[in-house]
Amino acid sequence: MRAANPSAPGTSVNPAVPFLDLWAMHRPLAAEIEATWHEVLEGSGFIGGPQVTAFEAEWASYCQTAHSVGVANGTDALVLALRALGVGAGDEVVLPANTFVATAEAVVLAGAVPRFVDVDPRTLLMTSEHVEAALTGRTAAVVAVHLYGQMCDVDALSRVCRRAGVALVEDAAQAHGATWRGRRAGSAGDVACFSFYPGKNLGALGDGGAVVTDDARLAEAIRSMADHGRRVDTKYVHDVVGTNSRLDALQAAALRVKLRHLDGWNAARRAVAQWYGEELRHLDVELVAVAPEGESVHHLAVALVPERDRLRAALAERGIATGIHYPVPCHQQVAYATFAREPLPVCEATAGELLSLPMFPTLTREQVAHVGAALRAVLATEGRRAG
Ligand SMILES: *Cc1c(COP(=O)(O)O)cnc(C)c1O
């Protein structure tokens, strides 16, 4: 995404700040990615093959899990995980209303009913208390969404799920490499789902996804279902109704090159988050809190701000691109409102205040200072206007 107006008055000495700069991450790796892509082109194995197998092993090892299955995207990863767990018609699945719509979409596509719950006002994540209050005799699974790069309290969630006899699924699409008490995102639930959409912390050069788990039977069921329900190691033996949701070799090859840089990129994001903290210190604005037990990978730098839309427009005038994650909570989206059960006050109150500031690994201290100065200037003006 390009900044809206890089030559706005008063910004000529400062660089414009895009929301995300993928080319800055890819430029140093371009030759290496092109070389692996040429190998795939020559080998002509585009679906599956050695690049996919190698990436799956490397991703499982990175996530501290026994198995990883590459799939076509993060949404499919969630649908396949739920289906493999046996979740379907008549079942309820508990999930936060503050998430990307794909989490809810996957529950409905699996045939189950989403049971939306509220989030903690400091972290904007679902807690075990929210889950406990939403459990019913029909609950079959809980989807913990590690939103903005930070893991939910998976210790407390695991305890509640185990006691209730329901599965814990991690939606880790925004949390590649995050930890909770030293444990990696993806290794805490019964099964975990990742997206490699280009803008994620680990992104493919197109769509991609993965499911990770320690459960060999679950992994095999997902692998089969993602490949037309083929019995593993057969070609035309179909025991279940599957689908076509495979990770392709070109994406796996690019992901292998990029995975070697993920920890470095996440460390750079952490530094950017700290710089934002320094810039925002004297303003009445804070980034969403990170719990001390976790290490966030800062997929997004989300702040809660008053008069969000005016502030956003003023930043755009200064060449600073921002986002909103997400402007409408899932239970208030037209497609999902039929599943809304009760008011979710935190999700509803914060939706109008969320503002995602530029966040990517090559963001410089100077660019973050520019964002800080712009926020100070705009909020000072707003204050005078209000007073
Ligand atoms: C991106 C995302 C997904 C869906 O991933 P796709 O690869 O786009 O299908 C699911 N959940 C969350 C929280 C996401 O951010």
Side-chain angles (χ1 to χ4, degrees), residues 4 46 49 78 80 105 108 176 213 229 246 274 292 307 328 352 354 369:
F46 298 111
L78 287 161
L80 290 161
E105 193 176 37
V108 176
H176 312 71
T213 180
R246 299 172 296 219
Q274 196 179 326
E307 298 206 62
V328 179
L354 296 166

Side-chain angles (χ1 to χ4, degrees), residues 73-76 78 99-100 102-103 145 147 171 173-174 195-197 200 207-208 326:
N73 55 66
T75 309
D76 282 1
L78 287 161
T99 180
F100 179 54
T103 319
V145 183
L147 204 67
D171 180 343
Q174 301 192 4
S195 163
F196 304 121
Y197 181 79
K200 309 286 172 155
D207 276 312
Y326 294 90

Side-chain angles (χ1 to χ4, degrees), residues 26-37 257:
H26 290 151
R27 188 172 36 218
L29 310 178
E32 199 182 343
I33 292 172
E34 280 165 17
T36 67
W37 277 20
V257 173

